[in-house]
Amino acid sequence: MELSGIIGVVFGGLIIGGLGRLIMPGRQPIGCVMTILLGVAGGVLGWYLGHDVAEVGNFLTFLIQIVCAAALVGLFVAIFRSTHRQPPR
C-alpha cells in the first residue's frame, strides 16, 4: 500500500470515527488513536455491509459506516468501563 493510501485510510477513519463519537450520547474516554482505529474498523465493516446498496448511492454506505463506527465506540466504551471500574470511596 502506498503512503497516499495509508494517509487516506487514516483520514477517513478519523472522520468516520469522529462522526461516530458525535452521535453516541455521553462522554467517551478514548483518545484520537482509538477513534481512528474504531473509525477504520467501522468504515470497513460499514463498507462490507453497505457495498451492495451502492446503486442507491455512496451516501447511504457512508451513513452505514458511521453507524457501525458508533456501535464499535459504544461497545468499546462499555467493555472499557466494565473492566476499569474503580472501587467506591
Side-chain angles (χ1 to χ4, degrees):
M1 181 179 270
E2 294 182 17
L3 181 61
S4 62
I6 293 171
I7 292 171
V9 167
V10 169
F11 187 68
L14 179 62
I15 291 174
I16 291 171
L19 291 173
R21 283 184 67 180
L22 278 176
I23 65 172
M24 286 296 299
R27 186 171 186 276
Q28 300 92 25
I30 60 176
C32 187
V33 173
M34 189 53 67
T35 300
I36 292 171
L37 292 175
L38 293 173
V40 169
V44 170
L45 181 62
W47 175 84
Y48 180 74
L49 294 174
H51 75 281
D52 288 335
V53 296
E55 304 88 34
V56 177
N58 289 332
F59 185 71
L60 185 58
T61 301
F62 183 63
L63 289 178
I64 293 170
Q65 290 173 325
I66 293 170
V67 169
C68 287
L72 290 175
V73 167
L75 181 66
F76 181 80
V77 169
I79 290 171
F80 181 79
R81 284 189 180 151
S82 69
T83 59
H84 290 89
R85 292 195 185 261
Q86 296 192 6
R89 295 181 183 205

